[in-house]
C-alpha cells in the first residue's frame, strides 16, 4: 500500500510537469545510511539507535569559509549571508551552534560594522568571536558534528540526576543528587580572575545574575562525568530565572552573561542531549545550596 501511494504521488508530479531527481532515490530497506537534506542518518537495529551526522560537504564548505574569513580584514555582506545560511544547517543538529550563528546577523543588519569605503563590506573584527568559536568546533577541538540517539534514552531509562545551585555576592555553591541520593557538593569563592573576565566586582547586588549563571556553568562542568555522553534525566534547579533561561536558550543579555552562555554551549555540545528540565525554586526553599 505504501509503494502504491508513493507511485501515485510520483506519477502525479510527473503529470504536472515537475522534474524529479531519480538519481537521489534511497531505500531504507537496502541502505543503512540515508541522506536527507543536510544530514546523513544511519540506523542500527541491533543497538536500537540512530546516528545523525551533518553532510561532509557542508561541513567542509563552512570550515573553508570560516578559515578564509579569519584571514581577511573585511568581509562581503553576501559572503556573510551565505555563511549564516550554511551554519543554520549545522545548527539544526547542533543546537549549541545557535548562539554563535545568531552573532553573524548583527554585522549583517547593523550598519555600524560597515566599512566607510564600501557599504557592502563589514570589518572582520566585528565577527572575531563567532568565527573563532565556530572554527574551534570545526577543527574538532570542542564538540562533534555527529549524534547517536538510543531508543532507551527516550524511554526515560537513565538515571535521575538533579543539580541544585545558588550564588551569593561572594561565593558559588551547589549539590548533586542521583536517584534521590545526594552524592556531592561544592562551594567556591568568586576569584579575581572571574571578576576580571566577566567585568564585574563582587560584594554587590549588580552581579547577582552573573554569578548565578556562572554557578550553572561551574556545576555542569564539575559534574560532567555524571551526565555527559548518554542521556540521563538531568534536572538543573535554581532560584534565578535569568540563569535558567540562559541554560535553555544558550544566550542572554550582556557581555558577561553571553560569554558564560557560549562556554556552556561548548560543554553541552560534547554531550548528546541538553538538560531535560530547568526548574525554578523559590529563594526561601533553596536553603541547602544557599548555605553552601
Amino acid at each position: 500500500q505504501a509503494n502504491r501511494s508513493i507511485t501515485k504521488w510520483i506519477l502525479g508530479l510527473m503529470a504536472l510537469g515537475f522534474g524529479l531527481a531519480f538519481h537521489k532515490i534511497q531505500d531504507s530497506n537496502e541502505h543503512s545510511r540515508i541522506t536527507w537534506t543536510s544530514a546523513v542518518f544511519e540506523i542500527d537495529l541491533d543497538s536500537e539507535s540512530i546516528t545523525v551526522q551533518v553532510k561532509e560537504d557542508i561541513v567542509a564548505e563552512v570550515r573553508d569559509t570560516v578559515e578564509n574569513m579569519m584571514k581577511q580584514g573585511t568581509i562581503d555582506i553576501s559572503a556573510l549571508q551565505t555563511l549564516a545560511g550554511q551554519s543554520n544547517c549545522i545548527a539544526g543538529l547542533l543546537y549549541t551552534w545557535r548562539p554563535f550563528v545568531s552573532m553573524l546577523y548583527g554585522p549583517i543588519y547593523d550598519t555600524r560594522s560597515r566599512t566607510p569605503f564600501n557599504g557592502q563590506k563589514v570589518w572582520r573584527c566585528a565577527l572575531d568571536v563567532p568565527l573563532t568559536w565556530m572554527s574551534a568546533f570545526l577543527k574538532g577541538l570542542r564538540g562533534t558534528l555527529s549524534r547517536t540517539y538510543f531508543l532507551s534514552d527516550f524511554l526515560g531509562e537513565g538515571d535521575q540526576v538533579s543539580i541544585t545551585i545558588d550564588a551569593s555576592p561572594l561565593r558559588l555553591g551547589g549539590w548533586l543528587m542521583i536517584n534521590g541520593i545526594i552524592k556531592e557538593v561544592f562551594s567556591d569563592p568568586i576569584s579575581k580572575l572571574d571578576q576580571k573576565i566577566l567585568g564585574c566586582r563582587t560584594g554587590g547586588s549588580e552581579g547577582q545574575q552573573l554569578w548565578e549563571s556562572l554557578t550553572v556553568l561551574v556545576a555542569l562542568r564539575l559534574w560532567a562525568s555524571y551526565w555527559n555522553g548518554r542521556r540521563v534525566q538531568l534536572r538543573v534547579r535554581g532560584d534565578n530565572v535569568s540563569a535558567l533561561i540562559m541554560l535553555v536558550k544558550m544566550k542572554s543579555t550582556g557581555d558577561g552573561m553571553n560569554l558564560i552562555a557560549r562556554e556552556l554551549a561548548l560543554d553541552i555540545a560534547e554531550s548528546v542531549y541538553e538538560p531535560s528540565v530547568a526548574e525554578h525554586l523559590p529563594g526561601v526553599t533553596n536553603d541547602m545550596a544557599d548555605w553552601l
Side-chain angles (χ1 to χ4, degrees):
Q1 184 179 0
N3 289 337
R4 289 176 61 87
S5 298
I6 292 174
T7 302
K8 292 177 181 178
W9 180 68
I10 291 176
L11 291 174
L13 291 175
M14 294 178 64
L16 293 173
F18 290 99
L20 302 179
F22 288 103
H23 64 282
K24 294 184 179 180
I25 289 177
Q26 301 170 85
D27 188 346
S28 60
N29 293 321
E30 298 181 7
H31 306 283
S32 61
R33 291 171 59 88
I34 299 296
T35 301
W36 182 73
T37 62
S38 59
V40 178
F41 298 81
E42 184 172 3
I43 299 175
D44 187 341
L45 297 178
D46 293 332
S47 63
E48 296 184 320
S49 66
I50 180 171
T51 299
V52 188
Q53 184 173 5
V54 178
K55 290 173 64 175
E56 294 181 4
D57 54 343
I58 294 179
V59 175
E61 192 171 356
V62 173
R63 182 188 296 113
D64 293 341
T65 301
V66 170
E67 294 303 318
N68 289 333
M69 284 185 174
M70 294 180 69
K71 299 175 183 178
Q72 302 174 18
T74 61
I75 299 172
D76 289 334
I77 291 293
S78 59
L80 187 55
Q81 292 172 332
T82 300
L83 175 62
Q86 294 170 335
S87 300
N88 272 320
C89 294
I90 298 177
L93 175 61
L94 292 179
Y95 77 99
T96 49
W97 263 58
R98 295 171 189 170
F100 310 116
V101 175
S102 64
M103 295 181 71
L104 299 176
Y105 289 96
I108 291 177
Y109 295 104
D110 191 343
T111 56
R112 292 176 297 178
S113 62
R114 307 290 175 86
T115 62
F117 52 83
N118 189 336
Q120 295 302 310
K121 290 182 177 291
V122 299
W123 294 109
R124 201 279 326 285
C125 60
L127 297 163
D128 279 348
V129 172
L131 291 179
T132 301
W133 291 64
M134 290 167 69
S135 176
F137 269 110
L138 295 169
K139 289 180 179 178
L141 299 178
R142 300 294 297 268
T144 177
L145 301 182
S146 177
R147 289 288 184 269
T148 300
Y149 303 94
F150 292 86
L151 176 62
S152 59
D153 298 333
F154 285 96
L155 298 179
E157 298 176 355
D159 291 331
Q160 301 289 325
V161 179
S162 175
I163 294 176
T164 307
I165 57 94
D166 201 3
S168 74
L170 297 174
R171 298 183 67 89
L172 316 175
W175 52 284
L176 171 72
M177 182 169 65
I178 300 179
N179 297 326
I181 301 174
I182 296 177
K183 294 290 187 178
E184 296 185 15
V185 301
F186 84 91
S187 178
D188 197 45
I190 301 170
S191 69
K192 293 182 178 179
L193 183 59
D194 294 331
Q195 299 173 58
K196 180 180 179 181
I197 293 176
L198 297 176
C200 185
R201 297 180 64 85
T202 58
S205 61
E206 63 276 2
Q208 190 60 34
Q209 292 184 351
L210 197 61
W211 308 134
E212 296 273 5
S213 301
L214 179 61
T215 310
V216 173
L217 174 62
V218 170
L220 289 178
R221 184 169 292 179
L222 176 64
W223 293 317
S225 60
Y226 291 98
W227 61 270
N228 199 331
R230 288 293 299 272
R231 185 179 178 89
V232 296
Q233 304 302 306
L234 176 59
R235 180 185 301 266
V236 179
R237 310 192 305 164
D239 55 22
N240 188 275
V241 175
S242 296
L244 296 175
I245 292 176
M246 179 206 67
L247 173 63
V248 173
K249 294 187 175 182
M250 295 296 160
K251 63 181 180 178
S252 185
T253 57
D255 294 339
M257 292 280 284
N258 274 316
L259 178 59
I260 294 173
R262 292 193 294 269
E263 285 281 349
L264 192 60
L266 285 174
D267 284 2
I268 293 179
E270 295 182 348
S271 179
V272 176
Y273 300 95
E274 70 272 24
S276 306
V277 178
E279 178 183 349
H280 176 256
L281 297 176
V284 294
T285 65
N286 198 16
D287 49 357
M288 181 170 176
D290 191 35
W291 180 83
L292 289 167

